[in-house]
Amino acid sequence: MRTILFEFKEGLMIALRAIASNKIRAMLTMLGIFIGVTVVVTMSTAIKGIDNSFQQGISSLGSDVLYIDKWAWFSNVEWWKMRNRKNITMEEFERFKNLAKLPAAVAPVTNTVQTVKYQERRVENVFINGSNADYVKTTNFTFSEGRFYSEIESNASRQVAVIGSEIAKKLFPNMSPLDRTIKIGGENFRVVGVLAEQGSFILGPWNPDNQVYVPIGTIFKNFASNRFRSITINVRAASPALVEETKAEAEGVMRKVRGLAYDQENDFSINQQEGLQENYNSVVGVIQIAGLFITGLSLFVGAIGIMNIMFVSVKERTKEIGLRKAIGAKRRTILAQFLLESSVICLVGGLAGLVAAVLLSMLINQFIPTSIQIGSVILGIGISLLTGIISGLAPAYTAAKMDPVEALRYE
Amino acid sequence: MNIINIEHIAKIYKVGLEEVHALRDVSLKIDKNEYVAIMGPSGSGKSTLMNMLGCLDTPTSGKYEFKGVSVSEMSDNELAKIRNKEIGFVFQTFNLLARSDAVHNVELPLIYAGVPTAERRERAIQALIDVGLKDRLRHKPNELSGGQRQRVAIARALVTNPSIILADEPTGNLDSKTGEEIMGLFHEIHEKGNTIILVTHEEYIAEHAARIVRLKDGLIESDERVDKRYIPKIKSTLAQ
Ligand SMILES: Nc1ncnc2c1ncn2[C@@H]1O[C@H](COP(=O)(O)OP(=O)(O)O)[C@@H](O)[C@H]1O
Ligand SMILES: [Mg+2]
């Protein structure tokens, strides 16, 4: 054991000397592995960040919520067929609500996009969500201030609003928004609640943080064109286990409400977050495969480069290898020397790559909240060591099995 | 007891379809503290014989015993060990590590012998002092003259206290004055009780030795002991 440690230490010293004596070459060799590790670690960090944001965002939608809509989010129904469907109306919503027994909560939803203002501050293109007091039960909203609008307020179509955290930050950078009067599309609304941070950037304008919630009647009243649009019915199952049953019931009830005969196909769609998840998974899957391919390729090219340089280095040092053997270096000592040399080069390149990846991740963090995972660090170090050993093996073996006499005669 | 005992050694190199008989039938015994010069024209097999004696190469046929142990049955690792502990090589072209200083060059065999850092540094420095390079310890080969380089190589050969020193044309790359100085150093090393085998093709160099073996076409032509000992005129340069 002690001799192995001794040999390792001495082999390392020899390898370090060899590297130090040809720094430029060592650095060029490192470049391949540096790029490889930087790409691998940055990629995996970015993907992890996107994934986190997505999962967080999607969970703010709730996995147990169904969205009954004229339009299907993801489907193979032709769009013109969907366009020809009848609008879903408030009356249909009322009947649906009365007939459906399983849901924990049901809410009608319509949207409009407006500019929101408070004094000189303004936010353009804000999603204004109109619904009733039950809407909050179809979400997992938490409040930093105030409350959701009440049933009385929504039934009476009062000009009250609940604002998302981003909107609050932009309009009221240093005061409480509660009881202030904001303008939505020119109309006055009193702020009764502010949401705590909910979603994630990845949902963009669909992120609750960037939305404003008002009683549905105020939308019909102030933004008249919405009256002729189809609404969405949000249906929350009593528990995630009951989603399928609730969906089956909703389909039956909706067919009845819409007066469909048994041989007519559905003229509405029941959407779920799941569809979003599947779509996302397939997109991320493609990104991951492409990423794997690119990084695999860059590492492969790096490894070939290292192997090539190690071969040259062995060739150049033929005489030195002969001398070392003549004065007592064993085969395994020579093998270890060159393996250690390529491993050290790769490890240093890999560590530099990690540093670069950390810096890049900090940059990415400006756009996607993310941080380097310990797993990526281990991956990076593992990959560089492995590349070093694999690409050093053949050259090191060539050096180890050299005949000392031949090597000494080499010119 | 003799250190080296070879009997009917032959070495055949195959070059393409042709066979080169570098050594045909060579038998030789060398005792402790002998100083042997091996002479002969170029291509007569001197280096081949030296490589054989130094366990760098194995004979095609014949018997080689080193200190009574048969070498032909040894594994690669055992041969490396013998080269490390028992043999000190000095080459015509010095074969120093170009980017390492004198101390590190001399340390090298001790690294492979597993000697701890502090001890091997000390021994390397002592060996360099012994060959007269006290104030060249941290010099790299390109900062040294030819003669000084060969002294570093000799220190490297001596540092392990080997049973035998093998020098293949150690003065071949040096001018005659420096060559004389190096021969003086070998003389001194021999006086201290070392065994030396030295290849040369210059008579005046061979005169330093006590025994001259002449090779020709892979055979021993003559093997004679020299009675009158050459007294180095350059003793003054060595006294320190
Ligand atoms: N590795 C080798 N392959 C083929 N022939 C060799 C090899 N080494 C030496 N020889 C041949 O063996 C003969 C003896 O060589 P060598 O021992 O180097 O002679 P010397 O050192 O006396 O000049 C020469 O003819 C040389 O060409
Ligand atoms: Mg020769």
Side-chain angles (χ1 to χ4, degrees), chain B residues 216-234:
Chain B
K216 196 177 179 191
D217 289 337
L219 286 168
I220 292 184
E221 198 183 34
S222 69
D223 181 352
E224 55 191 302
R225 314 224 164 221
V226 183
D227 289 335
K228 65 167 170 58
R229 283 288 220 61
Y230 178 83
I231 312 296
K233 297 168 233 160
I234 31 79

Side-chain angles (χ1 to χ4, degrees), chain A residues 6 9-10 14 17 21-22 319-320 323-333 337 403-405 408, chain B residues 51 56-57 76-77 80 83-84 89 91 93 95 97 99-100 104 108-109 111-112 114-115 117 120 156:
Chain A
F6 181 88
K9 189 190 126 214
E10 295 303 334
I14 292 171
R17 270 173 181 274
S21 68
N22 209 331
K319 223 168 168 165
E320 178 192 321
L323 182 264
R324 286 181 187 275
K325 287 195 151 195
I327 61 173
K330 298 186 177 98
R331 282 187 180 193
R332 66 153 191 270
T333 316
Q337 175 191 334
D403 177 56
V405 178
L408 278 168
Chain B
N51 291 338
L56 277 172
D57 211 348
D76 249 30
N77 276 352
R83 292 198 292 267
N84 184 242
F89 282 102
F91 304 92
T93 52
N95 284 331
L97 299 189
R99 302 190 191 251
S100 300
H104 182 72
L108 221 49
I111 293 178
Y112 296 126
V115 177
T117 320
R120 80 182 179 232
R156 181 179 64 194

Side-chain angles (χ1 to χ4, degrees), chain B residues 192-211:
Chain B
K192 285 182 183 162
N194 285 293
T195 314
I196 298 173
I197 305 175
L198 181 144
V199 169
T200 181
H201 47 228
E202 293 190 63
E203 290 291 340
Y204 81 95
I205 298 271
E207 278 167 13
H208 290 270
R211 179 179 169 191

Side-chain angles (χ1 to χ4, degrees), chain A residues 244-265:
Chain A
E244 283 313 307
E245 276 183 78
T246 309
K247 188 175 180 182
E249 189 205 42
E251 186 179 355
V253 170
M254 205 56 197
R255 287 182 64 87
K256 202 161 166 190
V257 166
R258 307 273 273 182
L260 296 178
Y262 73 95
D263 58 349
Q264 281 178 290
E265 40 179 74

Side-chain angles (χ1 to χ4, degrees), chain A residues 409, chain B residues 41-48 50 92 168-169 199 201:
Chain A
R409 284 162 62 101
Chain B
S42 190
S44 56
K46 304 183 296 293
S47 294
T48 307
M50 289 294 265
Q92 179 176 351
D168 193 348
E169 301 197 38
V199 169
H201 47 228

